[in-house]
């Protein structure tokens, strides 16, 4: 009918950042998780003033990885991987300090959190 | 000069010669390896000591032999025990497995672990067996049975039964006449 039906559509290929398909991205993610896991005993000692235990650190690592669970775009996953690897290098080489490393730990957040339960909201005054 | 020295060291006989010679002193234990020699060099008394090479007793040889002992070869039974121990020591497996973990429990399907927990199990296995497990092999290791087979392949564990002793002659020498 129109010209576009007779002309074959040109496929625009997206340039990959790091990985070409989901399988490769998954492999990279698991590798990153593995090197962070292996580094956990050293993180505990290097940033000892945070009073972390190894199970706590594993939980923190898990939380950080699972927060990006629902990302499907491969290029976004690659960007997150690169950031994760940069964070790893900074943590391993001790270019961070204790408070800087504690940024990964949400339980150590110091901002005043919104009250969740009834009693907390009652004490706040506006429920 | 020599008379003065000889009066001081009552048990040591001295002669003016620059070479070292063996001397047993009063306080030296007879079974000790250490031997003390005294030389005179430039009219100064210098004492050297060295360990004499002596033959070793049987106990000493046994002590030395302990350094070269190798562990027993892994049998499939021991391998299964180790793998199950590693898997059962994992926190998530303990929580998730209300029933006992058998050889055919699938980590993802039966126990509900995700791929990150699977990586943790693989890291524990690497620490246990002492070698790196490659990325491409993660897909193979979803049940303890698969892990055991993988280890048998990688560690070259002999699974064939040991040969029964028999009074037959060696078949390799059965040359047909």
């Amino acid at each position: 009918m129109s010209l576009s039906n007779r002309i074959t559509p040109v496929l625009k290929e997206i340039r990959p950042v790091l990985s070409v398909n989901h399988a490769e991205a998954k492999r990279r993610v698991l590798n990153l998780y593995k090197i962070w896991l292996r580094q956990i005993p050293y993180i505990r000692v290097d940033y000892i003033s945070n009073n972390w235990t190894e199970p706590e650190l594993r939980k923190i690592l898990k939380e950080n990885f699972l927060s990006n669970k629902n990302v499907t775009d491969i290029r976004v996953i690659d960007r997150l991987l690169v950031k994760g690897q940069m964070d790893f290098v900074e943590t391993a080489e001790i270019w961070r300090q204790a408070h800087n490393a504690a940024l990964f730990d949400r339980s150590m957040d110091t901002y005043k959190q919104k009250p969740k339960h009834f009693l907390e909201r009652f004490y706040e005054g506006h429920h | 000069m020599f008379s003065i020295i000889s009066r001081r060291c009552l048990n040591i006989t001295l002669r003016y010669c620059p070479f070292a010679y063996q001397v047993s002193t009063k306080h030296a234990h007879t079974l000790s390896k250490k031997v003390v020699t005294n030389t005179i060099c430039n009219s100064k008394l210098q004492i050297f000591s060295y360990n004499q090479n002596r033959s070793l007793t049987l106990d000493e040889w046994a002590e030395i032999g302990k350094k070269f002992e190798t562990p027993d070869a892994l049998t499939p039974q021991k391998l299964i025990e180790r793998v199950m121990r590693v898997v059962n020591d994992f926190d998530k497996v303990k929580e998730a497995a209300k029933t006992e973990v058998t050889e055919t429990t699938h980590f993802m399907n039966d126990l509900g672990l995700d791929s990150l927990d699977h990586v943790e199990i693989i890291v524990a296995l690497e620490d246990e067996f002492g070698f790196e497990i490659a990325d491409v092999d993660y897909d193979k290791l979803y049940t303890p049975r698969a892990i055991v087979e993988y280890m048998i392949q990688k560690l070259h564990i002999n699974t064939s039964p040991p040969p029964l002793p028999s009074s037959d002659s060696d078949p390799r020498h059965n040359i047909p006449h």
Side-chain angles (χ1 to χ4, degrees), chain A residues 2 15 17 29 31 34 37 47-48 56 67 73 77 91-92 102-104 106 119 124:
Chain A
S2 69
R15 275 181 60 195
V17 174
V29 166
N31 257 332
K34 194 166 157 183
L37 255 189
Y47 305 102
I48 194 83
E56 269 179 44
S67 63
D73 191 358
I77 295 172
T91 313
L103 288 173
F104 293 122
R106 301 287 171 80
L119 262 184
E124 274 286 309

Side-chain angles (χ1 to χ4, degrees), chain B residues 58-70:
Chain B
L58 194 63
D59 294 333
E60 287 167 355
W61 278 120
E63 283 294 321
I64 291 167
K66 278 182 191 168
K67 279 192 248 172
F68 300 101
E69 275 176 9
T70 50

Side-chain angles (χ1 to χ4, degrees), chain B residues 79 131 137 140-141 146-159:
Chain B
L79 176 65
F131 70 95
D137 296 335
K140 299 181 195 166
L141 306 176
I147 293 170
V148 164
E149 283 167 10
Y150 179 77
M151 288 297 162
I152 286 171
Q153 183 206 344
K154 283 279 166 179
L155 300 172
H156 305 293
I157 292 168
N158 189 13
T159 48

Side-chain angles (χ1 to χ4, degrees), chain B residues 41-101:
Chain B
C41 190
N42 298 335
S43 76
K44 272 187 194 173
L45 186 67
Q46 286 171 348
I47 298 173
F48 299 98
S49 66
Y50 62 91
N51 283 333
Q52 194 185 25
N53 282 331
R54 208 162 50 78
S55 60
L56 299 166
T57 60
L58 194 63
D59 294 333
E60 287 167 355
W61 278 120
E63 283 294 321
I64 291 167
K66 278 182 191 168
K67 279 192 248 172
F68 300 101
E69 275 176 9
T70 50
D72 295 332
L74 261 183
T75 60
Q77 191 55 39
K78 278 190 209 162
L79 176 65
I80 291 167
E81 279 172 16
R82 275 173 88 175
V83 167
M84 293 313 292
R85 181 165 43 90
V86 166
V87 169
N88 282 324
D89 280 346
F90 194 60
D91 308 348
K92 303 272 170 55
V93 166
K94 275 187 204 164
E95 288 168 16
K98 306 298 177 342
T99 59
E100 204 189 294
V101 174

